[in-house]
């Protein structure tokens, strides 16, 4: 059983299009995240959700809109895609928000290529 | 800002121990030290974490200096499957993980 899964694994699209990436976790965790890993391999947090509520938005353009229909899912919708959005996007989850010691579980990533 | 310093790369022979250093000289009293690794084309994977005492698990050991300004991740017997980028992260729990550049570990057969 995959703990954190993402679909699709690869996404190739043209500038200006709108696309979504889906994430699901079957660990029963309260908190979910989206990270972006750019071409230089830096991994940066984009959003944090706890119990379906947005906790952290790290100055991400409002073209990016996360949606959490329930605790197990956190989807990422991107409007008007730009070349700079090309990256690998990782979803992650952790048991409890704010607990001093916790580990995060990451999905396999979605490689987005904007042409 | 990752607030930790790691060597860009290290190399190890297979079957030998590997010591991956990390400096976190400005660590606060509530910060845990976390280690994650990222294998090629995969998402980051939790390795180990600790606060003050040394920690052991099935994957690795974490040795934390007495002043907590540095730590060392120890892989007891490196295998080819351990080739990855290893990230040392300090975190107090209320914020998401902040990843730096990490250390790229190469394992030679």
């Amino acid at each position: 059983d995959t703990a954190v899964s993402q679909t699709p694994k690869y996404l190739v699209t043209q500038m200006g299009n709108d696309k979504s990436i889906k994430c699901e976790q079957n660990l029963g965790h309260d908190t979910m995240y989206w990270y972006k890993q750019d071409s230089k391999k830096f991994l940066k947090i984009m959003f944090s959700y706890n119990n379906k509520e947005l906790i952290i938005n790290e100055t991400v353009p409002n073209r990016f809109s996360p949606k959490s229909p329930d605790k197990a899912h956190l989807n990422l919708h991107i409007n008007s895609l730009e070349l700079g959005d090309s990256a690998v996007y990782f979803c992650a989850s952790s048991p409890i928000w704010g607990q001093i010691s916790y580990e995060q579980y990451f999905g396999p990533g979605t490689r987005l290529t904007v042409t | 800002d990752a607030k930790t310093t790691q060597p860009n790369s290290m190399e190890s022979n297979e079957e030998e121990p590997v010591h991956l250093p990390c400096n976190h000289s400005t660590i606060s009293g509530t910060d845990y030290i976390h280690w994650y690794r990222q294998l090629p084309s995969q998402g980051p994977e939790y390795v180990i974490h600790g606060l003050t005492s040394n920690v052991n698990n099935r994957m690795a050991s974490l040795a934390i200096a007495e002043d907590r300004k540095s730590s060392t991740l120890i892989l007891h017997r490196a295998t080819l499957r351990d080739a990855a980028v290893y990230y040392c992260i300090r975190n107090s729990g209320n914020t998401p993980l902040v990843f730096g550049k990490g250390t790229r570990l190469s394992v030679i057969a």
Side-chain angles (χ1 to χ4, degrees):
Chain A
D1 263 358
T2 304
V4 182
S5 59
Q6 296 178 227
T7 54
K9 188 168 175 61
Y10 299 97
L11 185 54
V12 181
T13 188
Q14 291 185 330
M15 284 176 57
N17 284 350
D18 303 338
K19 291 293 179 185
S20 292
I21 306 171
K22 295 186 177 181
C23 177
E24 176 181 2
Q25 54 97 0
N26 63 5
L27 299 166
H29 288 170
D30 285 348
T31 307
M32 295 184 73
Y33 311 83
W34 277 110
Y35 288 83
K36 177 181 178 182
Q37 188 166 42
D38 61 23
S39 57
K40 295 182 179 179
K41 303 296 185 183
F42 286 111
L43 195 65
K44 293 183 180 178
I45 184 69
M46 298 175 70
F47 300 102
S48 300
Y49 264 73
N50 185 56
N51 277 319
K52 304 190 299 176
E53 301 224 352
L54 179 66
I55 301 295
I56 289 178
N57 176 347
E58 289 288 331
T59 61
V60 177
N62 56 17
R63 297 184 295 105
F64 291 78
S65 52
K67 284 192 171 48
S68 182
D70 54 59
K71 273 180 23 173
H73 295 85
L74 181 62
N75 303 323
L76 184 64
H77 188 77
I78 314 170
N79 290 327
S80 303
L81 278 155
E82 301 176 357
L83 292 176
D85 298 332
S86 296
V88 182
Y89 292 84
F90 289 101
C91 177
S93 73
S94 63
I96 301 172
W97 173 257
Q99 186 174 347
I100 292 294
S101 166
Y102 62 90
E103 54 192 83
Q104 290 190 16
Y105 296 80
F106 284 78
T110 296
R111 181 174 294 277
L112 171 65
T113 303
V114 182
T115 61
Chain B
D1 181 9
K3 300 180 182 177
T4 62
T5 305
Q6 300 177 250
N8 287 335
S9 61
M10 290 185 65
E11 208 171 74
S12 172
N13 293 320
E14 201 177 8
E15 305 288 318
E16 290 188 357
V18 182
H19 291 233
L20 297 164
C22 179
N23 285 324
H24 29 78
S25 57
T26 60
I27 195 167
S28 72
T30 56
D31 283 349
Y32 273 70
I33 300 149
H34 300 254
W35 284 82
Y36 283 73
R37 71 180 186 180
Q38 187 172 20
L39 278 65
S41 301
Q42 293 190 27
E45 173 189 31
Y46 167 81
V47 178
I48 201 167
H49 72 270
L51 183 62
T52 55
S53 305
N54 295 343
V55 184
N56 300 297
N57 66 19
R58 62 175 180 80
M59 289 182 70
S61 295
L62 176 59
I64 302 172
E66 200 169 329
D67 63 5
R68 301 210 328 123
K69 293 185 176 181
S70 65
S71 61
T72 302
L73 179 71
I74 303 165
L75 306 179
H76 297 285
R77 286 180 63 203
T79 69
L80 296 178
R81 291 182 59 190
D82 291 323
V85 178
Y86 286 78
Y87 298 98
C88 169
I89 301 165
R90 43 177 278 201
N91 183 271
S92 62
N94 273 335
T95 57
L97 301 175
V98 177
F99 288 80
K101 296 181 182 178
T103 296
R104 181 173 297 279
L105 175 66
S106 302
V107 180
I108 303 167

